Amino acid sequence: MSASSSWRSMNEDEDEDLDDNILTDAQETQWSSRDSILFVIDCSPAMLQPDEEGDIPFYTAIKCAKQVQLNKIISSDSDLIGVVLYGTRTAKNANNFAHIYVLQDLDVPDVSKIQQLEAIEEQRTNFDEEFGTSNGDYTLGEMFWTATNLFGGSAQRIGSKRLFLFTNEDDPHTNDISLRSASKVRAKDLQEFGIKIELFDMDKPMEKFNRKNFYKDILLDDVDEDGESQSQEEQTTAKLGELLQRVRRKEVKKRSLFNIPLKLSANLEIGVKGYNLVSTQSKGLHRNVYTLGEAVREVETVTSWICADTTQYLTAADLKYYWEFGGQKVIFEKDEVVSMKTFGPPALALIGFKPKTAMKMYYNLNHSMFLYPDELSYEGSTRAFSSLLIAMHEMDKVAICSFTQRTNYSTRLVALIPQMEVVGANGQEVPPGMQLIPLPWGDDIRPLPILTEYAPPDELINAGKAIISKLNMKRGFNPDNYENPTLQKHYKVLQATALNQTDMDIDDKTLPKTQQIYDRAGGYIQHFKDVAATAELPEGEATPSAESVPSDQSSVAAAKRARPGPSGGVALQQDMKDKYDNDQLNKATVSTLKDFLQSVGESGTGKKAELVEKVQQYFANK
């Protein structure tokens, strides 16, 4: 393909000498400010009726809002969250619209707001007295108008603006064409102001939510600025777990990590965006405070440099950098250090292609990034990227490129691995694109000695295979099922302390299920140990003594005869019986309750209150 005007960057006519780090007003708003989410919850009678699972949709939506505020306090405490109820009997809003109640203005979440939502969720706040329902007598257009005013009236500089709408009414204002038309106009006004509507539709009992009745004219199929497809065909649900998952997916605004050209040849460039799919979650930085005064005050950290010889205070302009070379200190200015790391403007430059089999697992220096075409920077990028993706997939090739992510970043060697789209019964499961894998330079590879003199006997290998086959995870490994227990404990203590809660237990799914492992492979593990004890080791190492090597079947039978009780056996049961007699089961930990229930043949799944109830029923029926 020859180069043409259609492939030129839209920014090509701009001054190339401008600093790449200067942001436009739009970019500064997108990257340097806060995100905002406004929860808008329907309070019509249908939202207050239990669904097929026994959950009330209104309280399910309130719980979602509370959970997002808890997450924001932990992960991004500068983001803005608000809650609006519509279809209420009472009203509270700046425009004095009927049946619209602004429960919480757009602001950073705090403890009092979470406690307010918690009181509503647990029905300690009387809904009928505080809010009531208008029996469907409301104007959806006025609700959208109120939302526009809340976003526009915020004094904070807002990046993304999103409205999370929770309702199970798929056809509002059925008998009033003027109200339907006005509502659609107001909804489109929201989108023109950059406010994105996310519909969390909930099914009524025996009635599926149908977006085509009304919301198809509001939720337009589109692709946002980050290339994320916005589809009308979201799966509806009223179940709390599934709804929380949908909210979590929408909660965090997806931003590209970089936006650079992919240079396919000297005269051909296309635009690509990179996304960081995996990132280590940290606890966040703590803040130092001074508590001896009348009020708790945050401490400001100040860094000073002092000359080691004269003890004189230095400024940043006085500092220089040096590296030792041959016993001498080679001194550089800051600008010289920056120039040494620069190998050109940010870009991905194609070097060539290799068979996919040439890629080795140990070549990966860091987690991958996801590459997607950027049509806004280079016209025709999507067509060229798609053609390259399909060709690489059909030829089973990977692309090798040099990668400079940003100005003043070191250049890296990377591999681009094609990833084709996978569509399942519920829609897209894997998006099309390329995985960018950081590769090592020759200087990064460290030769390690490999010992090949000793070959274990076949009997020991077979014993190890038996253990692996018995402990194989049939459903595969999914990291979404495992949360970091260190972070869980940290956040649980913070939450319990701030909200005056007593429950600080966590569900640590990383703990091995020792009894299950023993049931499946206890005998095989013992057999492996017995075989290893008699195996011949390399010269110079002592061989453990062993009286005999039992057969596979005999070791399994022996293990079953000598099987101990889980987590203490008799002692655990006696301890739990004492707690039951003294009405102290609530003081037992979740893991102890689960171990006990499993030891007596009961199910160990559920929350702590459910586990305590199961233990009580066990002893009551005994």
Side-chain angles (χ1 to χ4, degrees):
M1 183 184 298
S2 61
S4 64
S5 59
S6 64
W7 290 98
R8 292 201 302 266
S9 170
M10 294 179 180
N11 302 320
E12 187 175 282
D13 297 330
E14 298 179 1
D15 187 359
E16 297 180 356
D17 296 330
L18 290 177
D19 189 350
D20 292 334
N21 292 324
I22 295 178
L23 299 176
T24 65
D25 289 341
Q27 289 172 327
E28 188 174 350
T29 300
Q30 179 186 6
W31 296 101
S32 304
S33 57
R34 310 174 179 189
D35 291 338
S36 60
I37 300 175
L38 183 64
F39 283 83
V40 177
I41 303 174
D42 186 1
C43 296
S44 60
M47 287 287 288
L48 300 172
Q49 298 299 319
D51 58 18
E52 297 175 356
E53 301 291 330
D55 296 324
I56 298 177
F58 170 77
Y59 293 110
T60 299
I62 289 291
K63 184 167 186 175
C64 289
K66 185 196 75 172
Q67 190 62 47
V68 169
Q69 291 203 14
L70 283 171
N71 294 343
K72 289 295 184 181
I73 281 182
I74 293 168
S75 62
S76 182
D77 58 0
S78 63
D79 288 350
L80 308 181
I81 307 291
V83 181
V84 174
L85 310 180
Y86 72 96
T88 57
R89 185 183 66 253
T90 58
K92 179 186 173 185
N93 58 85
N95 301 98
N96 294 321
F97 290 140
H99 312 305
I100 297 176
Y101 195 103
V102 179
L103 183 65
Q104 296 177 359
D105 286 318
L106 272 175
D107 204 348
V108 294
D110 57 31
V111 172
S112 63
K113 293 181 177 180
I114 294 174
Q115 289 175 334
Q116 182 185 27
L117 295 178
E118 196 171 61
I120 297 175
E121 176 202 349
E122 296 174 357
Q123 302 186 34
R124 288 185 278 112
T125 297
N126 191 308
F127 177 85
D128 290 331
E129 293 181 0
E130 191 74 20
F131 313 111
T133 179
S134 64
N135 295 318
D137 185 14
Y138 60 85
T139 303
L140 202 59
E142 292 179 349
M143 181 274 289
F144 287 137
W145 192 342
T146 302
T148 305
N149 292 339
L150 287 173
F151 282 110
S154 175
Q156 307 292 342
R157 193 165 191 174
I158 300 175
S160 69
K161 306 172 186 178
R162 288 176 291 166
L163 186 151
F164 284 9
L165 177 58
F166 292 79
T167 182
N168 59 4
E169 178 55 63
D170 60 3
D171 198 10
H173 308 314
T174 306
N175 301 321
D176 196 324
I177 298 177
S178 62
L179 287 181
R180 288 174 65 90
S181 177
S183 299
K184 293 177 181 179
V185 170
R186 288 295 180 191
K188 291 179 180 179
D189 290 342
L190 275 174
Q191 296 174 349
E192 290 178 359
F193 281 111
I195 302 170
K196 180 180 174 185
I197 300 175
E198 300 278 8
L199 176 62
F200 293 91
D201 36 10
M202 308 165 78
D203 296 331
K204 295 179 181 179
M206 308 302 294
E207 183 179 345
K208 293 287 289 183
F209 192 100
N210 188 356
R211 295 191 173 194
K212 296 180 180 179
N213 289 340
F214 176 81
Y215 288 97
K216 65 181 179 64
D217 297 325
I218 295 177
L219 306 173
L220 302 177
D221 283 337
D222 199 358
V223 176
D224 67 9
E225 69 274 10
D226 286 336
E228 181 187 1
S229 176
Q230 311 300 324
S231 175
Q232 298 176 13
E233 303 301 325
E234 290 274 1
Q235 185 177 5
T236 62
T237 182
K239 295 181 180 179
L240 175 61
E242 296 177 6
L243 191 62
L244 282 172
Q245 287 183 356
R246 289 175 58 193
V247 171
R248 288 193 193 102
R249 287 199 298 267
K250 302 286 187 179
E251 176 188 339
V252 181
K253 176 66 177 174
K254 297 179 179 65
R255 293 193 179 98
S256 57
L257 188 64
F258 56 82
N259 180 3
I260 59 177
L262 170 58
K263 299 181 178 181
L264 301 176
S265 67
N267 299 317
L268 178 59
E269 298 179 2
I270 65 175
V272 293
K273 283 188 175 184
Y275 296 85
N276 199 0
L277 301 183
V278 179
S279 181
T280 302
Q281 180 66 40
S282 62
K283 297 178 182 178
L285 297 176
H286 67 277
R287 295 182 176 91
N288 298 325
V289 294
Y290 179 74
T291 60
L292 297 182
E294 296 180 356
V296 178
R297 298 179 180 178
E298 187 173 345
V299 177
E300 181 181 356
T301 303
V302 178
T303 303
S304 299
W305 295 275
I306 301 177
C307 178
D309 297 328
T310 65
T311 67
Q312 178 182 355
Y313 283 92
L314 305 175
T315 65
D318 299 326
L319 302 180
K320 293 181 174 55
Y321 306 86
Y322 80 89
W323 280 267
E324 287 193 4
F325 184 81
Q328 295 183 354
K329 295 180 179 179
V330 184
I331 300 175
F332 296 91
E333 299 284 348
K334 183 177 180 179
D335 294 340
E336 294 175 323
V337 174
V338 172
S339 64
M340 284 194 301
K341 298 194 301 181
T342 302
F343 288 87
L348 260 172
L350 178 65
I351 297 175
F353 297 93
K354 296 284 288 183
K356 190 178 291 187
T357 54
M359 290 292 297
K360 307 298 182 184
M361 289 290 292
Y362 53 84
Y363 284 169
N364 193 351
L365 283 179
N366 206 336
H367 61 76
S368 66
M369 289 173 275
F370 185 71
L371 220 59
Y372 203 76
D374 178 23
E375 189 73 16
L376 297 179
S377 297
Y378 290 79
E379 183 183 351
S381 294
T382 302
R383 292 195 306 272
F385 187 91
S386 178
S387 301
L388 179 63
L389 176 68
I390 295 173
M392 290 172 59
H393 173 72
E394 292 178 348
M395 299 177 68
D396 202 26
K397 299 286 187 180
V398 299
I400 306 299
C401 304
S402 64
F403 175 48
T404 305
Q405 182 173 328
R406 290 195 182 95
T407 303
N408 300 333
Y409 267 47
S410 299
T411 300
R412 289 233 53 91
L413 197 65
V414 298
L416 304 184
I417 300 179
Q419 175 178 293
M420 303 304 292
E421 182 180 26
V422 176
V423 179
N426 297 325
Q428 187 186 73
E429 296 179 355
V430 178
M434 295 188 188
Q435 295 288 346
L436 186 150
I437 310 293
L439 299 177
W441 299 107
D443 316 69
D444 301 328
I445 299 176
R446 308 172 70 180
L448 297 175
I450 300 176
L451 300 177
T452 58
E453 292 83 2
Y454 174 69
D458 292 339
E459 188 178 6
L460 186 60
I461 296 175
N462 293 333
K465 288 181 178 179
I467 296 175
I468 294 173
S469 63
K470 287 295 180 181
L471 299 182
N472 184 39
M473 302 174 71
K474 296 181 180 179
R475 296 182 180 178
F477 171 74
N478 185 357
D480 291 338
N481 297 332
Y482 300 89
E483 294 181 338
N484 187 337
T486 303
L487 292 179
Q488 276 188 289
K489 186 67 175 179
H490 176 74
Y491 296 149
K492 190 68 174 179
V493 171
L494 286 181
Q495 176 182 330
T497 304
L499 301 179
N500 296 321
Q501 298 173 344
T502 57
D503 184 13
M504 296 188 184
D505 292 332
I506 63 170
D507 184 14
D508 187 358
K509 295 183 179 179
T510 63
L511 294 176
K513 299 178 180 179
T514 53
Q515 183 60 36
Q516 191 177 34
I517 293 174
Y518 189 87
D519 291 341
R520 288 184 179 180
Y524 297 97
I525 294 174
Q526 184 61 45
H527 177 55
F528 180 85
K529 292 166 64 178
D530 294 340
V531 173
T534 58
E536 295 184 2
L537 300 178
E539 294 183 2
E541 296 190 26
T543 303
S545 60
E547 296 179 1
S548 62
V549 181
S551 65
D552 189 56
Q553 293 79 3
S554 62
S555 62
V556 172
K560 289 184 177 179
R561 289 194 300 270
R563 178 182 301 170
S567 303
V570 177
L572 173 63
Q573 296 191 22
Q574 184 60 45
D575 179 63
M576 199 61 63
K577 182 68 167 61
D578 294 340
K579 283 185 170 60
Y580 171 77
D581 293 337
N582 298 321
D583 197 19
Q584 295 180 343
L585 286 176
N586 286 326
K587 295 184 178 181
T589 62
V590 172
S591 59
T592 304
L593 292 169
K594 288 183 176 181
D595 287 342
F596 171 75
L597 289 170
Q598 291 173 357
S599 69
V600 296
E602 299 289 341
S603 172
T605 60
K607 297 182 179 179
K608 185 174 182 178
E610 297 172 348
L611 298 176
V612 170
E613 184 178 354
K614 290 180 181 179
V615 175
Q616 291 173 341
Q617 291 177 354
Y618 170 78
F619 284 113
N621 299 329
K622 191 173 180 182

